[in-house]
Amino acid sequence: MSDLIRQAAALVDEARSVTVLTGAGISTDSGIPDFRGPQGVWTKDPAAEKASNIRHYVSDPELRRRNWERRARGELWRDVVPNNGHRALVSLEARLKLHTLVTQNVDELHQRAGSSPDLVVEIHGTTRKVGCLSCDWGDDMEVVLARVRAGEADPDCPQCGGILKSATVSFGQSLDPQALRRAEKAAKECDLFLAIGSSLSVYPINETVSMAKIAGAKLVILNAEPTPYDRWADVIIRDSIGDVLPQIVGAEPATA
Ligand code: ZN
């Protein structure tokens, strides 16, 4: 075990209340590409980033039809399963140290690994659910995909006829204010903040890092690339999340 991992593990041992922020890096081992890293989807294909903008989604029915068709065919994130990184955070919860698990990911892999849904804040929403852009209607993604498979190219809201979209926060959409408040509160109340697999470049959730430090928490950053918040960190680790995170949080070595 390296010195940095030992230091981070000691901070976890000493902590009573840990808030975790996860980004795309924790899910890449599950086969979900990250977006902003050197090999990221948007780094290599800026047009894909444009397509995820809410204005394009609303104004371009063809874009929506293609999107629903790809989802219905299972082309987006088929068969993804949680990895050792997700499982390590379940161990942290089992040690009764987890305050809140804030994630920028929309894959629900934390919940599927076994993290309590009550402790997970999905700051950018989830692709496993669908919402109406005009009213409060929502349902599971599979319910809407069944309509697509039955022949509806661009299914509309059963309540108001509005445009449906996966319940993720697209560019140009506001965050759920309640989710953001929970994330900020968790940052201010913890005594250790773990930032895992996030470039910490996305506003405003990245600001929870400095909120935690200003409130007196220790900070561990585990990410492949440098982040704008590295100077705030007590420990910075750049190794593989799936290898390192179980050691940091004291998880049993995974057999799967
Ligand atoms: Zn509606």
Side-chain angles (χ1 to χ4, degrees):
M1 191 183 282
S2 80
D3 274 354
L4 286 174
I5 295 172
R6 211 182 322 262
Q7 286 172 35
L11 289 177
V12 172
D13 287 342
E14 290 160 15
R16 282 173 305 166
S17 182
V18 184
T19 289
V20 181
L21 172 64
T22 64
I26 198 170
S27 288
T28 47
D29 283 350
S30 292
I32 295 178
D34 82 307
F35 290 91
R36 293 170 195 286
Q39 297 302 316
V41 174
W42 291 335
T43 312
K44 293 197 291 189
D45 181 9
E49 178 166 9
K50 194 176 165 199
S52 74
N53 187 297
I54 187 66
R55 280 182 302 139
H56 292 94
Y57 189 86
V58 168
S59 64
D60 186 349
E62 184 53 34
L63 185 152
R64 293 199 298 276
R65 281 195 287 273
R66 278 202 308 274
N67 191 272
W68 288 120
E69 188 189 352
R70 290 185 62 202
R71 282 185 198 281
R73 282 206 305 257
E75 284 182 15
L76 301 175
W77 302 354
R78 179 163 29 191
D79 300 333
V80 292
V81 292
N83 63 58
N84 286 345
H86 300 104
R87 283 189 282 273
L89 295 176
V90 181
S91 303
L92 185 67
E93 182 180 339
R95 290 177 74 188
L96 304 179
K97 287 176 180 282
L98 182 66
H99 182 300
T100 300
L101 172 45
V102 181
T103 185
Q104 298 173 270
N105 300 336
V106 295
D107 51 35
E108 292 193 13
L109 288 181
H110 288 302
Q111 295 94 320
R112 288 170 67 197
S115 289
S116 298
D118 290 352
L119 296 182
V120 177
V121 175
E122 296 171 305
I123 198 74
H124 293 152
T126 168
T127 59
R128 307 276 174 188
K129 296 188 181 68
V130 174
C132 173
L133 293 178
S134 303
C135 75
D136 62 359
W137 186 87
D139 208 332
D140 289 338
M141 176 60 79
E142 283 307 318
V143 172
V144 176
L145 290 186
R147 289 172 57 191
V148 177
R149 293 186 190 106
E152 290 183 61
D154 184 16
D156 59 5
C157 173
Q159 195 165 281
C160 78
I163 293 172
L164 297 184
K165 190 180 83 64
S166 72
T168 54
V169 180
S170 296
F171 283 92
Q173 275 189 299
S174 314
L175 299 184
D176 171 9
Q178 198 186 340
L180 184 58
R181 270 198 301 276
R182 272 188 74 194
E184 291 175 348
K185 186 167 182 286
K188 290 172 182 166
E189 288 178 354
C190 70
D191 56 8
L192 174 63
F193 192 99
L194 294 181
I196 302 167
S198 171
S199 62
L200 302 180
S201 62
V202 179
Y203 175 87
I205 195 60
N206 57 356
E207 296 204 325
T208 57
V209 177
S210 39
M211 281 178 198
K213 277 299 281 189
I214 289 165
K218 300 286 189 186
L219 170 64
V220 174
I221 294 177
L222 171 52
N223 193 54
E225 306 291 322
T227 83
Y229 289 85
D230 285 359
R231 66 194 168 89
W232 296 77
D234 296 278
V235 180
I236 300 171
I237 300 175
R238 303 226 186 277
D239 287 325
S240 150
I241 293 168
D243 292 340
V244 165
L245 192 54
Q247 300 180 60
I248 292 176
V249 303
E252 294 297 318
T255 49

